[in-house]
Amino acid sequence: MIKLLITNNFLIIFFKKTGTTMNQNPYLKQYQQNYVESASREDLFLLLFNSLLKYISKMRQAMIDKNPAEIQTNSTKAIRIIEEFLNTLIS
């Protein structure tokens, strides 16, 4: 089963564009939880895959900007998503 934590990271970043984070808006938090719990396996896979692409892109930009902290942060997130893909395929 896909862990909520990874998808949660994606959704927080996704909704951050609206100017609010999950912790600031309880309705947004409830919407996010309902969305993840009711999403199909394919939808969750796409959410994770899109997050993976986004983190790789951010990591690449951080390499260009020579920002080691951002490289570390985004590479760690990308690795966690890849690990989740592998765990999902095994189970």
Side-chain angles (χ1 to χ4, degrees):
M1 182 172 177
I2 296 174
K3 294 178 185 174
L4 181 61
L5 180 63
I6 301 296
T7 306
N8 189 7
N9 287 343
F10 171 76
L11 290 173
I12 288 173
I13 292 167
F14 178 78
F15 286 116
K16 216 174 206 180
K17 293 179 182 177
T18 65
T20 61
T21 61
M22 183 182 75
N23 295 331
Q24 294 173 336
N25 188 337
Y27 299 108
L28 185 59
K29 183 177 181 178
Q30 184 62 43
Y31 171 80
Q32 174 188 3
Q33 183 176 354
N34 290 341
Y35 179 78
V36 171
E37 289 175 356
S38 64
S40 69
R41 186 177 176 107
E42 294 81 12
D43 288 340
L44 291 174
F45 179 84
L46 287 175
L47 287 172
L48 285 172
F49 189 75
N50 286 334
S51 292
L52 176 63
L53 295 177
K54 179 178 58 183
Y55 290 132
I56 290 172
S57 175
K58 286 183 175 185
M59 184 177 60
R60 183 174 179 261
Q61 185 60 47
M63 287 178 180
I64 292 168
D65 297 341
K66 297 181 178 157
N67 185 343
E70 281 296 309
I71 294 169
Q72 177 65 30
T73 300
N74 291 305
S75 64
T76 301
K77 290 178 181 182
I79 289 168
R80 289 180 64 199
I81 292 172
I82 292 168
E83 288 172 347
E84 190 58 41
F85 281 144
L86 292 173
N87 290 335
T88 302
L89 292 173
I90 293 171
S91 60

